């Protein structure tokens, strides 16, 4: 197991960490999820048939583990929300995670984009992260997500459209705020 | 010269590629130690327990026998024997062997199950009527696997009940150019009165998809005929959630001059309900000829296995019936992204009831997030389903092709 783990770690750890982190935006959760991913991979590594590339297979497992984790987290939050009867306010609550160091040193535009990623829905985030942060091509992305190629293209197109519109809105708001302050 | 539009889109793509790599501060050895610890925990949980001293189980067994003898004396033996003889169904414990062959004689349609006594009693249950034949020739299917882009998702209320039936309109010809138009003429594709369905007359609303990025908007005009009662408000939210969540919408903007707007939303925005894991049963329409798969939410169900057990029960509403025979023995094993379900019942066969059961199980598994189901029901093939392989969960439920 140790040898297999070391091989997988050396080749894929950074990419897997990156993928999961951008999906959940929390380092502790990322570490927990990634540990689960390794465990599942190590348990079933001998059964990997090679129908897809190893990298695609690993990311597919990471996607499922992240989804399960996120779903169980949402259920817990929903129960807490219902218990406290937060209603609409509860739905607005998002975990305000501090920015990681690597993001704090970026310019304002990049920080904005980092935050706006959370405005995309789950599917859109998947495509954006796999395509632009992990450099998977459309076919590989479709294989990981279990989608058709046309769905990947459509979702990517919509995700970019959403991000573009959100960034423009944010810029306009900033301009208005700036004008108001100058008065 | 590039347009401003393409410049902005290009900029976003460039920025995305420049998002930083986030580092994992832990060392390889630390991660490996955690994983080894986790494997050790798993091993400890599965290791056989140490043998206790022999005299303990011997004494415990002896005491149990004494207790059973005492209890048995107080029971009505006749009652036990009557019940046992009518429910005497042998269960095959093997999880790997497929005992039954699907190679039944083609023209040999057997009218009734040969297990006379037990089947007769079970067949008084409407939900089990579709299981009456062992081998049939033609089937009705309630799910589809057509490319998702050609799907228009709709949802309908069951008349006088609080259930929702999702129906997928399939546009195989690729005629769908503007989804908005379809939602304004829903009643042309589904004849709700025939099936005892209603949809709060959504076709009288102005529904706009992507009026702003990722935004769904519904505009109520003051002639919208549905009253804003609490019942209608809740049903409306459920319908809209079932219809538009599959597209990825999470919020709805409502506007217009109607009491619905004020009562339904806060600041004109409404969050769509998340689609929860459900147990699929069947709804028999008022014309008695059409059966729809219907998702049933029950708060006490917390796992796929419990959902399958729930599917053996009829609802108190007469039209909503079980999809799994009520004598079924069920075992479930979950894997990474698939689930294995073993079901045994004397009523299973190459019949409509079993086809509907398979489809209900697939849709239930889908709601729990599984992509594939390995179904062992003692048959290699039922209808069009090859049960020697894992089945992929469907894309559409209750499909109706658009002509």
């Amino acid at each position: 197991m140790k040898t297999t783990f070391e091989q997988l770690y050396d080749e894929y750890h950074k990419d897997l960490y990156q993928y999961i982190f951008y999906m959940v935006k929390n380092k502790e959760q990322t570490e927990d999820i990634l540990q689960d991913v390794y465990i599942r991979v190590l348990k079933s590594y001998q059964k990997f048939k090679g129908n897809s590339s190893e990298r695609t297979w690993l990311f597919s497992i990471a996607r499922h583990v992240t989804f399960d984790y996120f779903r169980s987290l949402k259920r817990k939050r929903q129960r807490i929300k219902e218990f406290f009867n937060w209603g609409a306010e509860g739905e607005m609550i998002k975990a305000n995670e501090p920015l990681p160091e690597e993001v704090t040193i970026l310019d304002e535009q990049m920080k904005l984009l980092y935050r706006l990623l959370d405005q995309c829905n789950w599917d859109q985030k998947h495509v954006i992260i796999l395509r632009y942060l992990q450099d998977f091509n459309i076919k590989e992305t479709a294989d990981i997500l279990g989608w058709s190629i046309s769905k990947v293209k459509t979702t990517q197109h919509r995700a970019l459209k959403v991000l573009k519109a959100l960034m423009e809105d944010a810029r306009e708001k900033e301009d208005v705020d700036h004008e108001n302050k100058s008065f | 010269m590039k347009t401003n539009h393409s410049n902005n889109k290009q900029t976003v793509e460039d920025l995305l590629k420049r998002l930083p790599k986030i580092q994992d501060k832990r060392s390889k050895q630390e991660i490996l130690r955690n994983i080894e610890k986790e494997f050790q925990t798993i091993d400890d949980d599965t290791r056989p327990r140490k043998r206790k001293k022999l005299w303990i189980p011997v004494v415990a067994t002896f005491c149990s026998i004494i207790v059973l003898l005492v209890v048995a004396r107080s029971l009505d033996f006749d009652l036990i024997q009557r019940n046992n003889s009518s429910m005497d169904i042998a269960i095959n414990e093997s999880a790997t062997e497929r005992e039954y062959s699907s190679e039944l004689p083609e023209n040999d349609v057997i009218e009734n199950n040969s297990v006379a006594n037990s089947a007769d009693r079970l067949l008084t249950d409407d939900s089990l009527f579709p299981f009456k034949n062992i081998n049939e020739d033609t089937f009705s299917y309630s799910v589809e696997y057509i490319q998702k882009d050609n799907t228009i998702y709709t949802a309908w209320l069951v008349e006088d009940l609080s259930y929702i039936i999702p129906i997928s309109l399939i546009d195989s010809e690729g005629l769908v150019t503007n989804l908005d138009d379809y939602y304004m003429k829903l009643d042309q594709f589904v004849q709700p009165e025939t099936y005892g369905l209603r949809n709060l007359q959504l076709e009288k609303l102005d529904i706009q998809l992507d009026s702003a990025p990722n935004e769904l908007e519904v505009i109520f005009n003051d002639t919208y005929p549905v009253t804003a009662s609490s019942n209608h408000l809740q049903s409306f939210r459920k319908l809209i959630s079932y219809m538009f969540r599959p597209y990825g919408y999470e919020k709805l903007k409502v506007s217009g001059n109607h009491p619905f707007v004020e009562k339904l939303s806060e600041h004109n925005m409404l969050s769509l309900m998340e689609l929860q894991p459900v147990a699929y049963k069947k709804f028999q329409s008022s014309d008695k000829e059409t059966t729809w798969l219907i998702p049933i939410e029950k708060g006490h169900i917390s796992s796929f296995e419990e959902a399958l057990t729930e599917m053996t029960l009829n609802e108190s509403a007469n039209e909503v019936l079980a999809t799994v025979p009520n004598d079924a023995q069920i075992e479930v094993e979950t894997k990474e992204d698939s689930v294995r379900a073993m079901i045994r019942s004397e009523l299973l066969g190459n019949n409509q009831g079993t086809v509907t059961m398979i489809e209900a199980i697939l849709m239930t598994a889908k709601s729990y997030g599984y992509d594939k189901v390995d179904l062992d029901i003692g048959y290699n093939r039922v209808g069009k389903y090859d049960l020697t392989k894992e089945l992929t969960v469907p894309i559409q439920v209750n499909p109706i092709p658009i002509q």
Side-chain angles (χ1 to χ4, degrees):
Chain A
M1 181 186 84
K2 188 178 173 185
T3 314
T4 309
F5 168 75
E6 285 182 348
Q7 283 170 359
L8 293 170
Y9 179 95
D10 291 339
E11 183 123 15
Y12 302 113
H13 183 78
K14 283 183 183 162
D15 287 343
L16 284 172
Y17 187 89
Q18 170 99 326
Y19 165 65
I20 296 169
F21 176 83
Y22 272 96
M23 288 304 296
V24 303
K25 295 276 187 78
N26 177 289
K27 287 201 169 182
E28 283 82 23
Q29 286 173 18
T30 303
E31 288 169 10
D32 287 345
I33 293 170
L34 191 43
Q35 180 166 311
D36 266 349
V37 171
Y38 277 122
I39 288 170
R40 290 201 197 191
V41 167
L42 291 167
K43 274 185 183 174
S44 55
Y45 193 73
Q46 299 304 324
K47 295 177 202 165
F48 172 53
K49 292 171 190 166
N51 292 334
S52 59
S53 73
E54 190 176 69
R55 190 166 177 238
T56 305
W57 177 64
L58 283 169
F59 271 81
S60 179
I61 292 175
R63 171 176 80 94
H64 285 112
V65 176
T66 308
F67 178 72
D68 285 345
Y69 192 95
F70 195 66
R71 188 175 50 176
S72 82
L73 198 65
K74 271 194 150 183
R75 281 209 193 116
K76 283 179 198 165
R77 281 185 182 157
Q78 182 64 25
R79 282 199 286 274
I80 293 169
K81 204 172 76 187
E82 284 168 2
F83 180 76
F84 287 106
N85 197 24
W86 283 345
E89 292 85 6
E91 291 179 4
M92 298 298 290
I93 292 173
K94 286 187 185 292
N96 286 319
E97 300 293 339
L99 293 177
E101 285 170 38
E102 295 90 341
V103 177
T104 54
I105 58 173
L106 297 174
D107 61 36
E108 290 308 313
Q109 191 180 41
M110 290 299 297
K111 282 183 196 168
L112 174 65
L113 180 64
Y114 175 84
R115 287 207 192 277
L116 289 178
L117 271 181
D118 292 332
Q119 304 286 323
C120 294
N121 65 33
W122 186 258
D123 284 354
Q124 290 168 352
K125 262 176 99 166
H126 264 305
V127 174
I128 291 292
I129 292 168
L130 291 173
R131 291 278 292 128
Y132 293 100
L133 277 74
Q134 299 298 327
D135 290 326
F136 281 107
N137 62 35
I138 299 252
K139 172 76 172 59
E140 287 166 334
T141 305
D143 286 343
I144 290 169
L145 298 175
W147 294 355
S148 66
I149 285 176
S150 66
K151 180 174 177 179
V152 172
K153 286 182 181 172
T154 311
T155 309
Q156 177 182 305
H157 173 75
R158 291 183 71 190
L160 290 173
K161 205 170 144 192
V162 164
L163 286 173
K164 178 200 138 197
L166 290 169
M167 290 196 75
E168 278 174 3
D169 283 349
R171 278 192 211 111
E172 278 171 19
K173 188 170 179 294
E174 199 184 309
D175 289 343
V176 166
D177 286 347
H178 183 71
E179 279 176 25
N180 288 340
K181 280 181 187 166
S182 63
F183 285 116
Chain B
M1 191 174 79
K2 283 185 183 175
T3 63
N4 196 37
H5 173 79
S6 64
N7 271 344
N8 283 339
K9 193 173 154 199
Q10 189 62 32
T11 305
V12 167
E13 286 177 294
D14 287 340
L15 291 176
L16 285 169
K17 289 176 186 170
R18 285 169 43 201
L19 280 170
K21 304 284 183 195
I22 308 296
Q23 303 295 333
D24 185 354
K25 301 279 193 292
R26 302 170 301 167
S27 67
K28 187 197 303 188
Q29 283 68 33
E30 187 188 338
I31 296 170
L32 179 58
R33 268 199 305 276
N34 289 339
I35 291 171
E36 284 172 340
K37 224 186 277 184
E38 188 64 33
F39 268 109
Q40 184 61 38
T41 308
I42 293 166
D43 283 344
D44 286 345
D45 286 346
T46 54
R47 188 175 299 141
R49 294 182 184 177
K50 284 186 187 173
R51 288 188 162 216
K52 293 183 183 171
K53 295 187 196 297
L54 191 59
W55 65 268
I56 295 175
V58 169
V59 170
T61 306
F62 181 70
C63 293
S64 304
I65 291 170
I66 301 291
V67 169
L68 278 171
L69 283 171
V70 170
V71 169
R73 279 174 177 268
S74 62
L75 288 178
D76 179 352
F77 281 104
D78 286 342
L79 180 63
I80 292 171
Q81 283 177 356
R82 275 202 299 277
N83 284 338
N84 280 342
S85 67
S86 65
M87 295 294 292
D88 186 15
I89 296 169
I91 304 299
N92 185 345
E93 293 297 327
S94 165
T96 55
E97 290 173 7
R98 312 273 167 147
E99 212 180 67
Y100 303 100
S101 167
S102 62
E103 300 294 323
L104 294 170
E106 281 182 10
N107 296 320
D108 188 12
V109 176
I110 301 170
E111 289 301 317
N112 287 303
N113 272 313
S114 57
V115 184
N117 288 337
S118 56
D120 281 345
R121 292 186 64 179
L122 293 169
L123 288 173
T124 56
D125 183 338
D126 279 349
S127 72
L128 301 174
F129 185 75
F131 292 94
K132 68 180 176 63
N133 296 329
I134 284 187
N135 194 24
E136 295 180 30
D137 294 324
T138 56
F139 301 95
S140 167
Y141 296 100
S142 300
V143 297
E144 243 325 335
Y145 292 86
I146 292 172
Q147 191 178 340
K148 204 173 177 183
D149 297 345
N150 296 335
T151 308
I152 298 129
Y153 297 100
T154 73
W156 302 80
L157 290 168
V158 175
E159 196 70 60
D160 296 330
L161 297 174
S162 59
Y163 299 114
I164 300 268
I165 293 182
I167 293 177
S168 306
L169 303 181
I170 310 288
D171 178 21
S172 305
E173 302 294 316
L175 301 171
V176 177
T177 50
N178 188 359
L179 272 179
D180 300 6
D181 290 343
Y182 279 90
Y183 288 104
M184 295 177 72
K185 44 187 180 182
L186 283 177
D187 52 343
Q188 295 179 25
F189 302 118
V190 178
Q191 289 75 48
E193 301 81 19
T194 310
Y195 304 120
L197 305 178
R198 58 194 182 97
N199 72 341
L200 297 181
Q201 302 188 60
L202 293 182
E203 60 278 352
K204 293 198 163 77
L205 296 171
D206 185 0
I207 298 176
Q208 295 181 9
L209 285 72
D210 285 336
S211 54
N214 252 1
E215 195 172 88
L216 174 67
E217 184 173 1
V218 173
I219 303 171
F220 289 80
N221 59 48
D222 51 14
T223 60
Y224 179 60
V226 178
T227 58
S229 66
S230 57
N231 204 23
H232 285 158
L233 289 167
Q234 189 174 0
S235 297
F236 178 87
R237 193 169 172 221
K238 261 185 168 176
L239 277 180
I240 292 288
S241 299
Y242 265 94
M243 284 167 71
F244 294 106
R245 270 274 178 186
Y247 294 112
Y249 292 106
E250 295 176 351
K251 287 190 188 302
L252 169 69
K253 182 178 171 185
V254 292
S255 58
N257 183 22
H258 191 283
F260 249 90
V261 175
E262 188 189 340
K263 291 186 182 180
L264 192 62
S265 63
E266 197 158 318
H267 308 302
N268 290 65
M269 291 301 288
L270 171 71
S271 289
L272 300 186
M273 293 163 65
E274 277 197 44
L275 301 186
Q276 301 296 327
V278 291
Y280 270 84
K281 298 190 184 181
K282 61 188 173 200
F283 168 72
Q284 193 156 59
S285 63
S286 44
D287 70 346
K288 302 290 184 200
E289 289 186 8
T290 312
T291 302
W292 309 99
L293 287 180
I294 182 168
I296 305 293
E297 278 185 48
K298 291 276 169 92
H300 66 269
I301 297 173
S302 62
S303 70
F304 177 67
E305 186 164 2
E306 287 179 18
L308 292 190
T309 305
E310 174 65 31
M311 286 156 69
T312 64
L313 306 171
N314 294 328
E315 293 287 294
S316 54
N318 290 338
E319 300 93 337
V320 184
L321 304 170
T323 39
V324 176
N326 59 8
D327 68 326
Q329 299 293 315
I330 300 167
E331 280 179 30
V332 168
E333 181 192 324
T334 53
K335 302 180 199 174
E336 289 167 25
D337 57 356
S338 68
V339 64
R340 186 161 194 276
M342 190 185 80
I343 299 180
R344 290 291 185 268
S345 163
E346 283 272 331
L347 296 180
L348 298 183
N350 193 32
N351 55 45
Q352 182 62 58
T354 306
V355 165
T356 304
M357 181 192 79
I358 290 169
E359 295 181 331
I361 289 172
L362 288 172
M363 287 305 302
T364 302
K366 183 177 179 178
S367 79
Y368 276 86
Y370 296 110
D371 296 330
K372 289 184 189 294
V373 178
D374 180 7
L375 201 49
D376 175 3
I377 63 171
Y379 287 84
N380 290 337
R381 187 171 201 90
V382 173
K384 68 178 182 180
Y385 295 107
D386 178 358
L387 302 180
T388 61
K389 302 174 191 166
E390 283 187 334
L391 300 176
T392 306
V393 296
I395 298 176
Q396 292 93 6
V397 67
N398 299 323
I400 294 180
I402 293 176
Q403 302 296 338

